């Protein structure tokens, strides 16, 4: 292997003062726009950017550290790391610099045209009640209404004004507007008819509004459902664990089967489980651009409730009698909305952290308070972990929900954090492999079973292991905290699909298969815990 480290350090010390400004890629609207019509929402474009994959399988710790140091120094956007490679988003300037440093045989373009994949995902995101816009538009054309103002954030208005330009009223070639939505027919089955898992809801990425509408429909459909039998009823409730930086509610949904509990229900070998209701928490959406996690969390709860109500003696019904299942489908609503509306590749929350150059946001998965340490990255980096642990409103709220479990009469027994991409199922710790969990052997055994259950479902390979080993070591991870501080034995972080072909821009047709396989994995895990701790042989 080539020793590139000395060259790198020399190079960096020579170039940083002059090029630093170029790397400030998070400045809002940093792309020169030919469009000074501010009625059009500016959408960040990625025309000059590619994802490059560096094969670092032959590198020792020292050289990996050098690359990560460069990532911090230039605030580069790392998409994914494994033992063998690292995927980084680069513009042409950044690329030129790295090409001088990294041996060419280890460095190849992985996603050449980010923008076209981004366009694909943005084409399909309008809400159901906006499917009618083609009719509205035609009407407007007939009436020849002159002034159609595009309101901020209003897709219909944008659509109308784009349509108007098409009619020849001096259309400007704006670089940064939302792609024109393809007119889609209204789905035949009502997406909010939750009596079937076939609902087309699970084939689309949704706005926050529709995510929470799905939640309300779950409650309407399943709360107090009597289809099991009259003495044990399903309870489904909305919870609110706090607020985001921008004041959005952090909503969750929690479900269990209410029944008279006998003291022998929890026969775990640990005395302190006695009499407490075990809680199984699934959190998704920490990173705004990772859209398939939230979809999968909703699908999981929907599956569980459907199965428990249609088959009274199913695994789902048994599990719902032993565990309270809680999903927080969107722990970073501000970042998610920003990813949908402005910057598809936005990762962090939207907190003002007093960064230079208007850079905003904290990486929620670098802000949890177990062995937290500050990194060299700046607020302009997608991996910025904040000035201190739990500076982010969202991690703080979730940690408070975890620590108030006893007050709710719960003992949190499992915590699953859904991310994408990479197809991994990982147990703690992430910050270091020297910190070895006492339960590692069991966590690995269950993790391997989960990976197998997932593979069996759709044929996709998932790898199980310790987070620090399968990815690059990083402090501030959610599962390090849940395991290391709040003593949640079954703490896992999942990287869902894919392995990099689409990365974060997963096509909608892969939502359902992804959700289906992680649901199989989580059902396996819950049954594993049940067999080991709730109802041991
Ligand atoms: C919901 O879907 C089911 C199954 O497709 C159907 O039988 C039922 O009539 C639908 N309910 C409503 C209210 O549309
Ligand atoms: C009804 O619920 C009770 C209490 O949970 C349970 O003991 C019984 O087996 C259930 N009956 C059926 C048919 O599921
Ligand atoms: C669920 O059903 C129970 C019993 O009908 C009711 O008391 C409760 O308010 C319902 N909860 C929600 C969130 O609708
Ligand atoms: Zn993530």
């Amino acid at each position: 292997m080539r020793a590139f480290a000395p060259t790198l350090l020399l190079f960096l010390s020579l170039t940083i003062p002059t090029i630093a400004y170029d790397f400030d890629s998070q400045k809002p609207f940093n792309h020169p726009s030919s469009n000074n019509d501010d009625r059009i929402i500016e959408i960040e474009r990625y025309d000059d950017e590619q994802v490059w994959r560096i094969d670092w399988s032959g590198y020792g710790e020292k050289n990996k550290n050098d690359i990560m140091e460069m990532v911090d120094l230039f605030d580069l956007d790392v998409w994914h790391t494994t033992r063998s490679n690292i995927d980084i988003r680069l513009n042409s300037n950044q690329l030129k610099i790295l090409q001088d440093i990294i041996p060419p045989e280890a460095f190849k373009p992985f996603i050449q045209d980010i923008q076209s994949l981004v366009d694909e995902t943005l084409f399909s995101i309008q809400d159901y009640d906006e499917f009618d816009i083609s009719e509205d538009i035609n009407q407007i054309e007939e009436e020849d209404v002159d002034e159609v103002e595009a309101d901020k954030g209003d897709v219909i208005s944008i659509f109308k004004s784009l349509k108007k330009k098409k009619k020849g009223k001096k259309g400007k070639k704006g670089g940064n507007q939302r792609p024109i939505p393809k007119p889609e027919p209204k789905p035949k089955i009502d997406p909010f008819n939750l009596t079937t898992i076939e609902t087309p809801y699970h084939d689309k990425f949704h706005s926050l509004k529709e995510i929470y509408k799905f939640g309300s429909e779950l409650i309407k459909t399943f709360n107090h459902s009597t289809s099991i039998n009259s003495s044990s009823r399903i309870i489904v409730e909305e919870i609110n664990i706090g607020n985001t930086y921008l004041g959005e509610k952090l909503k969750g949904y929690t479900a269990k089967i209410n029944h008279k509990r006998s003291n022998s229900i929890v026969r775990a070998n640990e005395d302190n489980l006695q009499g407490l209701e075990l809680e199984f928490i699934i959190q998704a959406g920490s990173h705004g651009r990772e859209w398939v996690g939230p979809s999968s969390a909703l699908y999981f709860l929907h599956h569980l409730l459907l199965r428990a109500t249609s088959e009274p003696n199913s695994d789902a019904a048994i599990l719902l009698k032993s565990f309270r299942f809680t999903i927080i489908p969107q722990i970073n609503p501000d970042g998610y909305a920003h990813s949908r509306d402005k910057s598809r590749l936005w990762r962090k929350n939207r907190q003002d952290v007093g960064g230079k150059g208007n850079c905003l946001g904290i990486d929620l998965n670098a802000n949890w308070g177990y062995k937290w340490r500050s990194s060299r990255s700046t607020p302009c980096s997608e991996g910025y972990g904040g000035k201190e642990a739990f500076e982010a409103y969202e991690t703080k709220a979730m940690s408070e929900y975890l620590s108030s479990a006893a007050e709710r009469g719960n003992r949190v027994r499992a915590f699953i954090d859904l991310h994408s991409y990479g197809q991994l199922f990982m147990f703690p710790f992430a910050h270091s492999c020297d910190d070895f969990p006492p339960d590692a052997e069991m966590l690995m055994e269950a993790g391997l079973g989960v990976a197998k259950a997932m593979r069996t479902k759709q044929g996709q390979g998932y790898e199980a292991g310790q987070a620090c080993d399968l990815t690059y070591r990083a402090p501030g991870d959610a599962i390090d905290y849940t395991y290391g501080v709040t003593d949640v034995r079954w703490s896992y972080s999942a990287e869902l699909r894919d392995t990099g072909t689409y990365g974060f821009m997963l096509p909608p047709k892969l939502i359902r298969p992804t959700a289906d396989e992680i649901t199989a994995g989580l059902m396996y895990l819950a049954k594993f815990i049940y067999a080991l701790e709730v109802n041991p042989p």
Side-chain angles (χ1 to χ4, degrees):
M1 186 200 51
R2 217 174 287 187
F4 58 82
T7 336
L8 166 65
L9 293 179
L10 177 65
F11 188 84
L12 295 184
S13 61
L14 291 174
T15 49
I16 285 158
T18 49
I19 59 173
Y21 186 77
D22 288 354
F23 289 99
D24 197 356
S25 64
Q26 289 199 0
K27 281 182 104 61
F29 321 140
N30 59 327
H31 298 281
S33 170
S34 57
N35 178 359
N36 42 22
D37 180 354
D38 57 10
R39 291 183 310 161
I40 304 285
I41 292 179
E42 300 220 41
I43 308 283
E44 183 169 6
R45 294 187 61 89
Y46 305 91
D47 299 294
D48 181 39
E49 306 189 9
Q50 296 182 325
V51 177
W52 282 66
R53 177 165 283 189
I54 302 168
D55 175 357
W56 67 5
S57 49
Y59 296 8
E61 280 308 305
K62 171 83 181 74
N63 285 345
K64 283 189 180 179
N65 284 339
D66 284 339
I67 290 188
M68 292 317 273
E69 202 157 308
M70 187 168 57
V71 161
D72 283 344
L73 225 35
F74 293 159
D75 291 328
L76 299 182
D77 181 16
V78 172
W79 281 28
H80 181 54
T81 50
T82 68
R83 273 179 294 212
S84 56
N85 51 53
I86 172 168
D87 296 349
I88 311 182
R89 171 163 67 104
L90 299 169
N91 65 28
S92 51
N93 287 338
Q94 295 163 337
L95 178 61
K96 271 190 217 111
I97 290 165
L98 291 213
Q99 274 171 332
D100 286 339
I101 298 168
I102 313 268
E105 66 275 10
F107 190 49
K108 62 171 193 290
F110 199 68
I111 296 180
Q112 308 223 17
D113 187 354
I114 294 180
Q115 185 59 44
S116 71
L117 291 182
V118 165
D119 287 345
E120 286 297 317
T121 57
L122 292 183
F123 267 134
S124 57
I125 62 170
Q126 75 269 38
D127 279 5
Y128 291 121
D129 56 14
E130 287 159 5
F131 282 133
D132 283 327
I133 51 178
S134 52
E135 288 158 37
D136 294 353
I137 298 289
N138 291 337
Q139 226 168 348
I140 283 165
E141 281 176 351
E142 275 157 32
E143 293 164 7
D144 202 17
V145 177
D146 254 328
E147 273 312 303
V148 184
E149 295 283 323
D151 289 329
K152 226 175 163 233
D154 183 345
V155 179
I156 297 173
S157 309
I158 297 166
F159 190 91
K160 286 171 183 168
S161 62
L162 291 177
K163 194 85 180 207
K164 209 170 112 191
K165 286 180 182 175
K166 258 189 158 175
K167 277 182 77 192
K169 292 199 177 177
K170 213 171 74 175
K172 290 179 204 130
K173 197 173 167 290
N176 295 346
Q177 63 234 19
R178 183 190 289 283
I180 302 168
K182 284 174 195 160
E184 283 183 38
K186 259 201 151 125
K188 287 203 177 66
I189 305 177
D190 176 1
F192 294 104
N193 177 351
L194 303 192
T195 61
T196 166
I197 199 77
E198 299 305 323
T199 162
Y201 184 92
H202 295 306
D203 300 304
K204 207 163 115 39
F205 292 114
H206 296 277
S207 63
L208 288 168
K209 190 176 136 208
E210 285 187 349
I211 288 175
Y212 298 142
K213 178 159 189 220
F214 185 92
S216 327
E217 291 299 324
L218 266 187
I219 293 168
K220 273 193 210 153
T221 312
F222 297 102
N223 181 46
H224 214 61
S225 165
T226 55
S227 50
I228 293 192
N229 72 33
S230 53
S231 64
S232 64
R233 290 170 187 265
I234 288 186
I235 306 288
V236 190
E237 289 168 317
E238 184 181 303
I239 55 170
N240 188 349
I241 68 162
N243 291 302
T244 68
Y245 177 74
L246 295 177
E248 188 76 41
K249 278 185 182 150
L250 288 167
K251 290 187 192 182
Y253 302 94
T254 187
K256 61 173 183 168
I257 287 179
N258 222 5
H259 65 114
K260 273 203 145 43
R261 89 181 12 261
S262 70
N263 280 338
S264 63
I265 288 291
V266 175
R267 286 197 282 128
N269 18 14
E270 285 179 55
D271 288 340
N272 55 0
L273 293 184
Q274 288 283 349
L276 289 174
E277 183 177 76
L278 302 183
E279 189 171 11
F280 192 113
I281 299 179
I282 298 165
Q283 164 189 285
S286 295
H287 294 139
R289 62 197 179 186
E290 299 169 8
W291 293 2
V292 80
S295 307
S296 299
L298 294 176
Y299 183 98
F300 170 79
L301 192 57
H302 188 201
H303 165 88
L304 192 72
L305 292 170
L306 269 174
R307 208 167 142 70
T309 46
S310 60
E311 294 174 49
N313 298 318
S314 62
D315 49 0
I318 292 164
L319 291 173
L320 274 164
K321 284 179 190 169
S322 307
F323 297 94
R324 167 187 285 284
F325 284 89
T326 302
I327 63 164
I328 313 290
Q330 191 42 268
I331 189 65
N332 180 16
D334 297 347
Y336 182 66
H338 195 71
S339 167
R340 283 177 64 91
D341 299 339
K342 297 277 179 64
S343 270
R344 178 63 187 84
L345 299 176
W346 188 262
R347 170 182 167 98
K348 301 179 289 182
N349 74 359
R350 293 290 295 163
Q351 197 159 338
D352 186 345
V353 288
K356 285 194 183 120
N358 292 331
C359 290
L360 299 178
I362 297 172
D363 178 351
L364 298 191
N365 210 33
N367 189 243
W368 288 77
Y370 176 76
K371 308 223 165 151
W372 186 88
R373 53 185 190 270
S374 69
S375 82
R376 287 170 303 254
S377 66
T378 74
C380 288
S381 160
E382 289 293 349
Y384 180 61
K387 284 188 290 291
E388 57 190 19
F390 296 124
E391 182 183 351
Y393 282 46
E394 297 81 2
T395 52
K396 181 105 175 51
M398 193 66 211
S399 73
E400 282 166 2
Y401 181 75
L402 289 164
S403 58
S404 65
E407 290 159 35
R408 300 191 298 273
N410 290 162
R411 164 79 184 259
V412 181
R413 205 53 180 157
F415 179 91
I416 317 296
D417 194 17
L418 300 182
H419 292 256
S420 65
Y421 58 95
Q423 299 184 193
L424 305 171
F425 199 76
M426 303 177 286
F427 62 86
F429 288 99
H431 78 97
S432 163
C433 284
D434 299 332
D435 196 352
F436 204 63
D439 299 309
E441 205 175 313
M442 266 193 312
L443 286 164
M444 184 67 181
E445 187 187 336
L448 287 170
V450 168
K452 185 171 176 212
M454 294 180 77
R455 190 168 58 243
T456 306
K457 202 71 198 193
Q458 298 277 346
Q460 285 290 314
Y462 275 73
E463 205 177 340
Q466 199 180 2
C468 62
D469 185 35
L470 294 186
T471 64
Y472 190 78
R473 299 181 320 263
D477 199 286
I479 59 166
D480 282 12
Y481 181 83
T482 57
Y483 187 87
V485 178
T486 58
D487 200 23
V488 179
R489 175 186 268 174
W490 305 98
S491 291
Y492 289 95
S493 172
E495 296 284 358
L496 303 177
R497 291 202 202 178
D498 54 13
T499 54
T501 307
Y502 296 102
F504 307 118
M505 289 82 74
L506 202 68
K509 67 170 190 284
L510 295 181
I511 298 170
R512 185 182 290 274
T514 305
D516 183 51
E517 72 202 4
I518 187 63
T519 293
L522 295 178
M523 290 297 285
Y524 175 90
L525 179 64
K527 284 186 265 184
F528 187 98
I529 301 170
Y530 176 87
L532 193 71
E533 298 186 340
V534 180
N535 192 21

